[in-house]
Amino acid sequence: MAGKTTVGIFKFMLKVAQSPKKLHIIAANDTGTAEKNIIQKDLGIFDDFGSLVRYNGNGTGADKIPHIIFTPAPGVTKTVYVMGYGDKTKWKKALGGQYGCLYIDEINTANIEFIREASMRADYMMATLNPDDPNLPVYHEYINHARPLDRWSDDTPTEILDDLTEEPKDGWVHWFFTFKDNLGLKKAELDRVLSNTPKGTKIYKNKVQGLRGRATGLVFRNFDYKLHVRSAQWARQFLTNKKGEEQFVLFSAGLDTAYSDKTKDTIAMTFHGCTNRGKWIQLDEKVYDNAKLHLTIAPSDTVVNFIDFLERNREEWGFARNTFIDNADQATLKEFSKYVRNHGSIYLFNPAWKQLKIVDRIKLQSGWFNQQSYFILDHCTETIGELNRYSWKEDKDNEPEDKNDHCINSSQYAWIPHQVKIGSDVK
């Protein structure tokens, strides 16, 4: 309804007309979806190109695959195959050779094998997508390599721009659409959609705001980038000693560890400050992923890295004397003890206090988001990404998945000992 297909399919067919190749592809979950949402819809291919196109939904005697015959100019004929990526056995048979243009509808739902196979065979690819789980491989392999054109970059939400972090590829363009961009949507229809979609829900975030995140089961559904993410400049106002003004009164840090080089687990460090008015602010983060490092990190390396992290933040923000380390990681705790014994330290490295159940931690943090007493600085992109992905298990009502939670866990280790100070005046 945002007009992606309306705009995209028209441009796609013009690209087909310009291509020197005869064969092209339109792919959707199945051919029925392609017919309804692309070919026959209002302002679809039939409406746009009229007598220039003919659709053979059952194929022909010579060509069994459903296809569009497109005659963009006298004596010029193009064949646009219509195929479904939902059935691997069918698209495996259909793909072969080289194609001019490829259009993939809702690429976030497409089989990743199909995307890889089809895209390597096409000179030009266009795809539409709706916001989805940012962990899907299609984002890392394709979408996040694209960049918005300078002319339109201000129309792309910061949350989306922050996700476009893969190496940019020449000619790969990212277009962001909202309902307001669909000039074919009447105002009464737009008003109805907006009024029928409750603000703050995942469907509002995905469909209306166009932001990524799992569609169902999100743990922190009330986390809102515009409300809870702030700049470092905003946080520096609390670095004051003026009597009566809001100011930082304590700092804390947490460390969550996972050393595997086979999984997406990470070593996550977070640094926090609390004001005398009960604002809890995550000021910094640092994440290491052994799966991405040439030289993997050991517990002894983590000790040095964490102290460097603490020192950097002490100079910028303040002194976090008490820090809290994942108490399930005895190897790292022993390395901290050995370091202190050999070198001394101004920091206390405490085992994290985990008696507070995970569901109770979630309840507290969700409440602080509602009170707007919990904030995260905008450069803490790993934490922000986790808050947009951290989800409940599908088969259990009260247990979150054991992933997308390392920065969240690190943050919890930091605030659990100070939970009574959050959301109220600190004495």
Side-chain angles (χ1 to χ4, degrees):
M1 294 183 72
K4 301 185 298 292
T5 305
T6 300
V7 174
I9 201 64
F10 184 78
K11 180 179 180 180
F12 173 78
M13 293 299 283
L14 295 182
K15 286 288 188 180
V16 170
Q18 294 171 348
S19 172
K21 290 196 169 90
K22 179 181 178 180
L23 302 180
H24 311 271
I25 295 174
I26 289 175
N29 185 57
D30 51 59
T31 54
T33 300
E35 291 169 5
K36 178 173 68 75
N37 294 342
I38 299 172
I39 300 171
Q40 298 170 348
K41 82 179 197 80
D42 290 345
L43 303 177
I45 290 177
F46 280 172
D47 279 1
D48 287 345
F49 296 94
S51 61
L52 300 179
V53 295
R54 183 177 77 254
Y55 179 50
N56 298 311
N58 295 316
T60 62
D63 198 339
K64 301 298 184 183
I65 302 174
H67 60 274
I68 297 168
I69 299 297
F70 179 34
T71 54
V76 179
T77 301
K78 308 284 184 176
T79 300
V80 183
Y81 288 119
V82 180
M83 61 179 65
Y85 50 66
D87 188 333
K88 184 175 180 178
T89 58
K90 290 185 178 179
W91 64 254
K92 276 283 190 183
K93 292 178 181 178
L95 282 182
Q98 298 296 310
Y99 297 88
C101 302
L102 166 67
Y103 181 97
I104 304 180
D105 180 57
E106 297 195 7
I107 194 172
N108 56 293
T109 67
N111 183 303
I112 190 64
E113 290 183 56
F114 170 81
I115 300 170
R116 293 166 181 156
E117 287 264 4
S119 63
M120 69 181 289
R121 299 175 183 276
D123 299 332
Y124 171 83
M125 180 174 76
M126 175 186 290
T128 63
L129 73 158
N130 289 312
D132 208 332
D133 181 356
N135 275 335
L136 290 173
V138 69
Y139 285 107
H140 303 293
E141 295 183 27
Y142 295 92
I143 308 306
N144 292 345
H145 288 280
R147 299 292 186 272
L149 297 174
D150 290 342
R151 182 181 177 187
W152 305 113
S153 60
D154 288 345
D155 293 336
T156 306
T158 302
E159 298 94 319
I160 297 294
L161 291 174
D162 287 345
D163 281 338
L164 303 180
T165 55
E166 303 293 344
E167 180 184 2
K169 295 192 177 182
D170 187 41
W172 288 35
V173 179
H174 183 281
W175 296 85
F176 181 81
F177 284 77
T178 70
F179 289 153
K180 294 178 182 178
D181 294 310
N182 187 355
L183 300 183
L185 189 66
K186 297 178 182 177
K187 185 178 185 303
E189 295 173 320
L190 175 60
D191 291 344
R192 175 177 53 78
V193 169
L194 295 178
S195 64
N196 289 346
T197 310
K199 290 184 178 181
T201 60
K202 275 301 296 170
I203 192 170
Y204 185 89
K205 184 174 185 177
N206 286 165
K207 301 296 186 182
V208 177
Q209 295 179 298
L211 303 180
R212 297 179 188 177
R214 286 187 50 153
T216 59
L218 200 68
V219 170
F220 293 107
R221 292 182 299 168
N222 61 342
F223 170 69
D224 187 324
Y225 192 100
K226 290 182 173 61
L227 293 177
H228 304 120
V229 178
R230 301 295 174 88
S231 67
Q233 183 180 1
W234 171 84
R236 288 192 183 99
Q237 68 181 301
F238 306 121
L239 292 174
T240 177
N241 292 318
K242 293 182 180 179
K243 188 175 181 180
E245 291 192 3
E246 186 171 11
Q247 58 191 274
F248 286 119
V249 291
L250 70 88
F251 297 95
S252 183
L255 171 64
D256 189 58
T257 56
Y259 293 99
S260 173
D261 59 1
K262 306 297 183 185
T263 68
K264 292 183 178 180
D265 289 338
T266 58
I267 301 160
M269 306 171 184
T270 58
F271 190 89
H272 308 255
C274 185
T275 74
N276 55 347
R277 305 284 171 79
K279 283 188 179 69
W280 187 269
I281 305 168
Q282 180 175 325
L283 299 167
D284 200 13
E285 68 176 14
K286 182 66 177 178
V287 171
Y288 297 90
D289 184 349
N290 267 342
K292 295 181 179 179
L293 295 174
H294 176 64
L295 295 174
T296 56
I297 292 173
S300 57
D301 302 315
T302 295
V303 172
V304 175
N305 291 340
F306 190 52
I307 292 173
D308 287 345
F309 175 74
L310 295 171
E311 282 293 281
R312 185 176 70 249
N313 280 286
R314 180 173 67 87
E315 292 177 4
E316 183 171 0
W317 298 105
F319 179 32
R321 182 168 180 263
N322 278 289
T323 70
F324 302 91
I325 319 298
D326 183 358
N327 66 4
D329 183 5
Q330 290 299 313
T332 301
L333 284 169
K334 287 180 179 178
E335 288 294 333
F336 274 108
S337 297
K338 184 167 69 175
Y339 181 93
V340 172
R341 187 167 60 250
N342 293 335
H343 305 283
S345 177
I346 60 174
Y347 299 101
L348 295 177
F349 303 108
N350 305 289
W353 194 79
K354 291 187 179 180
Q355 277 69 27
L356 187 66
K357 294 180 179 179
I358 292 177
V359 68
D360 292 324
R361 301 181 207 170
I362 291 169
K363 183 178 178 181
L364 282 170
Q365 195 166 350
S366 294
W368 295 328
F369 281 140
N370 273 348
Q371 297 170 16
Q372 293 189 48
S373 54
Y374 195 109
F375 301 92
I376 303 160
L377 297 195
D378 54 13
H379 68 273
C380 298
T381 55
E382 292 289 338
T383 304
I384 293 167
E386 287 187 3
L387 289 167
N388 281 316
R389 297 191 296 268
Y390 191 41
S391 302
W392 299 103
K393 287 184 177 179
E394 293 184 3
D395 57 343
K396 293 187 178 181
D397 289 336
N398 62 348
E399 188 177 338
E401 296 174 334
D402 187 20
K403 59 183 179 181
N404 299 311
D405 61 354
H406 288 288
C407 288
I408 290 172
N409 286 339
S410 171
S411 299
Q412 290 172 348
Y413 302 157
W415 61 248
I416 285 174
H418 307 292
Q419 58 189 279
V420 296
K421 301 178 176 72
I422 306 174
S424 60
D425 288 353
V426 178
K427 304 300 184 183

